[in-house]
Structures are given as structure tokens and as C-alpha cells.
Amino acid sequence: MSAPICHVEIPVRNMARAKKFYAGVFGWTFKAFSPRYVMFMTGEGERLGGALCKTDLKELPADGGVTVYLKVDAIKEALSRVKACGGQVVQKRTEIGGDNGFIAFLRDTEGNRMGLYGSH
């Protein structure tokens, strides 16, 4: 039996700020279904997308939960864009080992922790 991931929801407190962050760092585009639910597309031909979901929660999301990794061409350049767009670098580019590429971690403008994965 297969159960591929087909949709991701990212909780946000400030929709405009979150859209600006994800557009600036990753070039995502958006389509609003309502002021509280805005779909994102990660690029042409990409099947996996998701939505920014307005939340009224005051606490930050837990760092120990599920981690979403975003594949990028160049991690160092993506981390520079993260900082320029108001996010934080949680862990700098780190080699996985065994020729498996590199990872890094960021915190977006809404407090969400995510991973980056790339070959360099």
C-alpha cells in the first residue's frame, strides 16, 4: 500500500509577511481561497504544493515534530535569501555524509522550522 505526501499546510500568523518570505526565498506563487487559506505552488511541473493557513495560536510550533525539507540548488544562497527576507538560520549547511548531499535548517518569519536539502 502506498501513501505519498500530496499536500503540506504551513501555519502562519501574518499572511502578507509569510507570502513575502516564501516568494522572496523560494519564488513560490500563491492563489487565495480565502484570507485565511492561501495555496502555494513551488514551481512549474511540481506536483506537491500546499497552503499557508492563518492561525491564531500564540505559541511557536514545536521543533520536535515532523520536519519538512525543501530541495534547493544551492543551500548557502538559499540561507542568504532566508536572512534577507526576515527569517533565521537555525543550522548552517552541513554535510550528510556518504555523498548524500547537504542539509541546513531555517526558521521562517512565522516561527516554523524547516530543513533545506541540496547537493551542494
Side-chain angles (χ1 to χ4, degrees):
M1 179 187 297
S2 177
I5 295 172
C6 63
H7 185 78
V8 175
E9 291 183 342
I10 301 172
V12 304
R13 293 187 191 104
N14 182 309
M15 189 64 73
R17 179 177 64 198
K19 286 171 57 178
K20 183 177 178 182
F21 176 81
Y22 285 103
V25 176
F26 302 113
W28 292 1
T29 58
F30 305 93
K31 179 181 179 184
F33 281 94
S34 76
R36 298 183 66 85
Y37 200 83
V38 176
M39 298 291 291
F40 63 79
M41 284 63 68
T42 60
E44 281 188 47
E46 295 294 325
R47 293 181 180 208
L48 180 63
L52 304 178
C53 306
K54 180 82 169 80
T55 181
D56 297 322
L57 296 175
K58 301 296 183 212
E59 68 274 2
L60 290 175
D63 282 347
V66 173
T67 301
V68 174
Y69 286 83
L70 306 172
K71 186 175 180 183
V72 296
D73 291 329
I75 290 178
K76 287 182 180 180
E77 291 157 4
L79 291 175
S80 292
R81 291 191 306 271
V82 165
K83 289 189 246 179
C85 292
Q88 298 173 323
V89 174
V90 175
Q91 178 183 313
K92 65 182 182 174
R93 179 180 168 266
T94 304
E95 187 172 8
I96 297 170
D99 292 326
N100 290 306
F102 299 85
I103 61 170
F105 293 94
L106 66 93
R107 189 170 311 282
D108 71 8
T109 55
E110 308 309 300
N112 296 297
R113 181 181 170 272
M114 294 185 185
L116 297 178
Y117 169 78
S119 58
H120 60 281

